[in-house]
């Protein structure tokens, strides 16, 4: 089981930037894709972005497209989420996840992931 630890959250003003990091405890060849998700109080978990670890393809939710960038550093077993032009509606707990099962479609759906981090809080003020 891969352990994931998120960091980089904090409080910023609207229009600001943050970079989240997700460090995996150990490399596993079964870590086929990594994703970022978020959940605001009283709302359902929302998919944000994901990356296929071997092909480096990225997929984004429409709500963050053009503002967020997901990337990876396999040498460090770390995935990043660069968040620019932040909006108050981006405020949430952000979770990193790793998936192992073989999939044929998008890596965005949360149900395909089997390893989750504890989350890091992002708060954007207007």
């Amino acid at each position: 089981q891969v352990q994931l630890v998120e960091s980089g959250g904090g409080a910023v003003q609207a229009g600001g930037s943050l970079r989240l990091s997700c460090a995996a405890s150990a490399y596993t060849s079964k870590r086929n894709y990594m994703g970022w998700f978020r959940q605001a109080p009283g709302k359902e978990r929302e998919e944000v972005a994901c990356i296929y670890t071997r092909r480096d393809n990225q997929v984004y939710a429409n709500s963050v497209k053009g503002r967020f960038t997901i990337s990876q550093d396999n040498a460090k077993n770390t995935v990043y989420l660069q968040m620019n032009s932040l909006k108050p509606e981006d405020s949430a707990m952000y979770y990193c996840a790793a998936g192992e099962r073989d999939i044929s479609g998008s890596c965005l759906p949360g149900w395909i992931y089997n390893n989750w981090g504890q989350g890091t809080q992002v708060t954007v003020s207007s």
Side-chain angles (χ1 to χ4, degrees):
Q1 182 114 359
V2 177
Q3 289 187 331
L4 305 172
V5 179
E6 303 96 333
S7 62
V12 294
Q13 291 189 329
S17 298
L18 283 174
R19 188 176 83 154
L20 306 183
S21 299
C22 173
S25 60
Y27 173 79
T28 168
S29 61
K30 292 185 178 180
R31 186 164 48 92
N32 291 327
Y33 38 87
M34 300 283 293
W36 285 98
F37 300 83
R38 65 188 183 188
Q39 188 167 20
K43 295 188 176 181
E44 293 187 354
R45 186 183 64 200
E46 179 186 11
E47 53 210 26
V48 176
C50 62
I51 186 167
Y52 297 89
T53 56
R54 292 179 178 80
R55 291 178 280 152
D56 206 35
N57 288 23
Q58 303 109 44
V59 184
Y60 297 94
N62 288 334
S63 58
V64 305
K65 202 171 291 183
R67 300 187 298 122
F68 291 11
T69 302
I70 187 171
S71 62
Q72 61 182 345
D73 184 336
N74 287 331
K76 296 182 179 179
N77 295 331
T78 301
V79 172
Y80 304 97
L81 184 69
Q82 177 67 44
M83 305 186 296
N84 298 328
S85 302
L86 282 162
K87 305 174 181 180
E89 50 264 44
D90 294 319
S91 297
M93 185 71 80
Y94 281 71
Y95 297 92
C96 171
E100 299 176 358
R101 72 179 75 186
D102 292 328
I103 58 173
S104 58
S106 171
C107 56
L108 277 179
W111 64 266
I112 65 176
Y113 290 82
N114 57 310
N115 288 297
W116 293 82
Q118 295 300 308
T120 184
Q121 179 68 41
V122 172
T123 303
V124 185
S125 59
S126 57

